[in-house]
């Protein structure tokens, strides 16, 4: 298998790791890509970014009221 962040994964395709990556594990290498997109354009003065491990995505919410979402103009 392959070791990632202290956890052993079996050979083959891994649809989702504990840290929100999709990976392919072989005897030669482990290749991974993220399942999330990082917000880059939003109101940084009034909003904050929080990683949501359940949805494997970032939530962008108001600093003063985290129950309210902020508009995100672009993600990478």
């Amino acid at each position: 298998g392959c070791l990632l962040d202290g956890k052993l994964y079996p050979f083959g395709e891994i649809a989702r790791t504990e840290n929100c990556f999709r990976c392919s594990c072989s005897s030669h290498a482990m290749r991974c890509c993220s399942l999330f997109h990082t917000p880059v354009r939003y109101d940084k003065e009034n909003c904050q970014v929080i990683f949501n491990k359940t949805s494997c995505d970032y939530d962008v919410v108001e600093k003063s009221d985290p129950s309210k979402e902020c508009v995100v103009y672009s993600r990478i």
Side-chain angles (χ1 to χ4, degrees), residues 13-70:
E13 298 298 316
I14 300 133
R16 177 181 166 174
T17 67
E18 288 182 3
N19 292 323
C20 298
F21 288 89
R22 178 183 304 129
C23 299
S24 175
C25 170
S26 73
S27 59
H28 303 289
M30 185 170 194
R31 294 183 182 92
C32 299
C33 62
S34 65
L35 294 171
F36 50 88
H37 296 91
T38 306
V40 290
R41 287 191 54 229
Y42 60 93
D43 181 354
K44 293 181 174 133
E45 187 174 317
N46 297 308
C47 301
Q48 64 183 342
V49 176
I50 300 170
F51 189 71
N52 182 331
K53 222 172 181 177
T54 303
S55 66
C56 283
D57 203 1
Y58 287 100
D59 296 329
V60 182
V61 295
E62 290 184 8
K63 288 179 181 177
S64 61
D65 185 356
S67 69
K68 294 181 182 175
E69 289 188 27
C70 294

Side-chain angles (χ1 to χ4, degrees), residues 1-11 14 25-26 30 32:
C2 297
L3 193 62
L4 179 67
D5 297 326
K7 183 171 179 182
L8 185 63
Y9 289 93
F11 289 125
I14 300 133
C25 170
S26 73
M30 185 170 194
C32 299

